[in-house]
Amino acid sequence: MNLTPSQLSTYDGSNPDLPIYLSINGTIFDVSAGRHTYGPGGSYSIFAGRDATRAFVTGCFLEDTTDDMRGAELIYVPVDDDEEAISSAERKTRAERERREARKKVQQEVQKWEDFYRNSKKYFEVGKLVGRGKHDGPPPKLCESAMKSRPKRSKTKNTASAQGKPV
């Protein structure tokens, strides 16, 4: 079954005669077995009837109810919290490397959640979400809690040094 985002929104648990669906990364899962969790008033009701892939990565359930992953990798990119004596070229190279690594982590996190639903004994795949992934304008910003949880460069340097890895 293929559904558009508008069609998917009718499967949000508000109609007790319909199943509850959520989508992650464009794959639709039936989560009706968890009606108390995904239905109205449930702790994860925010996911019902939509693709909120971004929230699975950022943990920003209220702010990130979208499949727009642009900028989500920032959650894994260290915040510069100390003064380093490196050249602008080194800083640029490091930033590019960190963004690549962060995008991989985002993909791994999305895959983890998609696998969770796909391998669940309670939930099952029912189709694909069509007409998604076309986002205009600026990318969504990370919510405040996601910004606060970003790693600090000074801590990642110390961790890398302690593990005998190059900084």
Side-chain angles (χ1 to χ4, degrees), residues 30-92:
D30 185 320
V31 294
S32 301
R35 187 169 287 279
H36 62 283
T37 304
Y38 293 98
S43 54
Y44 293 123
S45 63
I46 199 74
F47 294 115
R50 63 175 45 128
D51 187 318
T53 302
R54 186 182 179 90
F56 282 95
V57 173
T58 65
C60 303
F61 294 169
L62 297 177
E63 301 90 338
D64 285 344
T65 56
T66 180
D67 66 336
D68 188 346
M69 299 303 291
R70 296 176 302 150
E73 72 275 3
L74 285 176
I75 196 164
Y76 298 113
V77 175
V79 175
D80 288 324
D81 63 338
D82 64 350
E83 293 295 320
E84 285 185 288
I86 63 172
S87 71
S88 61
E90 290 170 317
R91 193 175 304 276
K92 182 179 178 184

Side-chain angles (χ1 to χ4, degrees), residues 97-128:
R97 178 182 35 70
E98 288 174 346
R99 285 270 185 162
R100 273 194 313 275
E101 291 168 1
R103 284 198 243 357
K104 285 180 190 175
K105 287 180 182 179
V106 166
Q107 290 171 344
Q108 290 168 346
E109 188 69 11
V110 170
Q111 190 62 55
K112 177 186 89 172
W113 283 107
E114 197 172 347
D115 290 347
F116 167 80
Y117 288 101
R118 183 166 283 119
N119 299 326
S120 171
K121 296 191 185 323
K122 291 174 33 172
Y123 312 129
F124 55 94
E125 184 176 339
V126 294
K128 296 292 180 189

